Amino acid sequence: MTVTAEPAAQVDRWVSAQGISLEVRGAGDPVLLLHGIGGSAAACGALAEVLSSHGYRTYCWDAPGYGRSADPAPSSDGSTERCDHGVVVADLIAELGAEPIHLLGTSWGGVIATAVAAANPAAVRSLVLADSTRGSGVNQQRAQGMRARIGELRELGGPAFAAARAGRLVSTACDAGIARAVESDMARVRLPGYAAAAEFMARTDTGPSLAAVAAPTLVLVGADDIVTGVDESRLLADAIPGARFGLILDAGHAAVQEKPVETAAHILRFWKELGE
C-alpha cells in the first residue's frame, strides 16, 4: 500500500462536558488518538492528517491537564494526581457517540488504550499501540522512577525538563525540525496533567489483562526506541491474542511524529486486512 502525505485538512475543535479538548479532522469511521506523557494533541497531528486524508474522522485528544483541556478533577480524597484516564476515555467515546471506535495510543496513551480495550470490549473496534508498555507498575523500581518525574518537573519547570529528556525520544536520524517540535511540546506540559499521568503509569500494570483484549490489535514500535524499547512492544504483541507487530524503521520512541506516513501505512494496511 502506497501512502502519501496529503494537504492539511481543516482542524476543528470539540470540547466534552468534562472539558476534554479534541482536534477533529476529516469524515468517516472514527479514530481516537491518545498522545504520550510528554505530548499533547499536536503530537498526533501529522499522523491524524494522513489517516483523515484516507477517509477517517480523527480525534486527537489533549489529556486532562494537557493542552487546551481542563485540569484533572479532584478525586474523593481531594487529590488531583489520581485520575482514572481509562474511565475518562471510555466516557469520552460514549459522549462522542463513536462506539465502536478505532483506538490508537502512543506510549502512555497506549497504556490507557489497552486498559480501555480490556474493560470496554464493545467500545473498541481496533487497537493500535505505538511505542507503548504495560505501565510502570510492573515493579516498584519503575513505579518509583515514574513518580520521581513529578518532582523533577516541579523543580526544573517545563523547558528545562524537556531539554533534559526530549533528546532520548527521537532517533539519531530524526529531522531537526521534528526534534525541536517534540521538545517544544514537552516544554509546555503542565504539572497537574503530568502528575496525574505519572501517577496513573506508576500504579498501572496492564500485563494481567492483555489476554483479555478482544479487539484486533496492531503493535508498532520505532526500531531505534530506547525509552520503552522493541522488546516491550514484542511482549505486548505476544501477549494480546492475535496481535500483529510492526517496526517503524529509522524512528525512535516518538515514531508517530518522526515517521507519520510510514506509521499510517502500517495502520491502514492493518485496517484493510480487517476489512475496515
Side-chain angles (χ1 to χ4, degrees), residues 113-195:
T114 302
V116 173
N120 306 274
V124 181
R125 189 170 180 176
S126 75
L127 179 65
V128 179
L129 306 176
D131 297 271
S132 195
T133 174
R134 290 163 289 168
S136 301
V138 292
N139 59 53
Q140 186 176 12
Q141 182 181 8
R142 290 190 186 180
Q144 289 176 340
M146 180 56 68
R147 289 187 171 108
R149 294 190 192 182
I150 301 171
E152 185 180 349
L153 175 59
R154 183 181 290 113
E155 178 182 351
L156 295 177
F161 182 79
R165 288 187 170 275
R168 300 182 69 245
L169 301 182
V170 297
S171 71
T172 56
C174 182
D175 174 82
I178 293 175
R180 286 193 297 271
V182 170
E183 181 173 339
S184 177
D185 210 21
M186 184 179 285
R188 290 192 292 269
V189 297
R190 306 200 307 273
L191 185 59
Y194 192 91

Side-chain angles (χ1 to χ4, degrees), residues 104-269:
L104 190 160
T106 180
S107 191
W108 165 57
V111 180
I112 302 171
T114 302
V116 173
N120 306 274
V124 181
R125 189 170 180 176
S126 75
L127 179 65
V128 179
L129 306 176
D131 297 271
S132 195
T133 174
R134 290 163 289 168
S136 301
V138 292
N139 59 53
Q140 186 176 12
Q141 182 181 8
R142 290 190 186 180
Q144 289 176 340
M146 180 56 68
R147 289 187 171 108
R149 294 190 192 182
I150 301 171
E152 185 180 349
L153 175 59
R154 183 181 290 113
E155 178 182 351
L156 295 177
F161 182 79
R165 288 187 170 275
R168 300 182 69 245
L169 301 182
V170 297
S171 71
T172 56
C174 182
D175 174 82
I178 293 175
R180 286 193 297 271
V182 170
E183 181 173 339
S184 177
D185 210 21
M186 184 179 285
R188 290 192 292 269
V189 297
R190 306 200 307 273
L191 185 59
Y194 192 91
E199 176 58 33
F200 175 90
M201 284 289 282
R203 68 176 188 268
T204 299
D205 173 11
T206 63
S209 64
L210 293 177
V213 174
T217 301
L218 171 65
V219 179
L220 298 174
V221 62
D224 301 327
D225 186 342
I226 61 171
V227 177
T228 53
V230 174
D231 288 347
E232 179 73 5
S233 285
R234 287 193 185 277
L235 184 155
L236 295 175
D238 289 343
I240 296 173
R244 297 156 172 81
F245 176 83
L247 276 175
I248 309 297
L249 301 179
D250 299 318
H253 185 66
V256 299
Q257 288 169 272
E258 285 190 79
K259 299 289 182 180
V261 173
E262 292 82 354
T263 300
H266 280 275
I267 296 168
L268 292 168
R269 187 182 307 116

Side-chain angles (χ1 to χ4, degrees), residues 14-180:
W14 182 88
V15 181
S16 77
Q18 301 303 316
I20 304 300
S21 175
L22 301 179
E23 291 183 355
V24 186
R25 296 171 174 86
D29 291 341
V31 184
L32 177 59
L33 297 92
L34 309 178
H35 60 78
I37 196 168
S40 69
C44 298
L47 175 58
E49 289 281 358
V50 182
L51 297 178
S52 65
S53 73
H54 284 78
Y56 293 88
R57 183 167 181 81
T58 61
Y59 300 94
C60 298
W61 90 330
D62 281 321
Y66 283 78
R68 295 182 174 184
S69 287
D71 287 345
S75 62
S76 57
D77 63 0
S79 170
T80 58
E81 293 186 5
R82 288 192 66 85
C83 175
D84 191 334
H85 296 85
V87 171
V88 175
V89 169
D91 289 347
L92 183 62
I93 294 170
E95 187 175 349
L96 285 168
E99 297 176 324
I101 200 167
H102 294 295
L103 188 56
L104 190 160
T106 180
S107 191
W108 165 57
V111 180
I112 302 171
T114 302
V116 173
N120 306 274
V124 181
R125 189 170 180 176
S126 75
L127 179 65
V128 179
L129 306 176
D131 297 271
S132 195
T133 174
R134 290 163 289 168
S136 301
V138 292
N139 59 53
Q140 186 176 12
Q141 182 181 8
R142 290 190 186 180
Q144 289 176 340
M146 180 56 68
R147 289 187 171 108
R149 294 190 192 182
I150 301 171
E152 185 180 349
L153 175 59
R154 183 181 290 113
E155 178 182 351
L156 295 177
F161 182 79
R165 288 187 170 275
R168 300 182 69 245
L169 301 182
V170 297
S171 71
T172 56
C174 182
D175 174 82
I178 293 175
R180 286 193 297 271

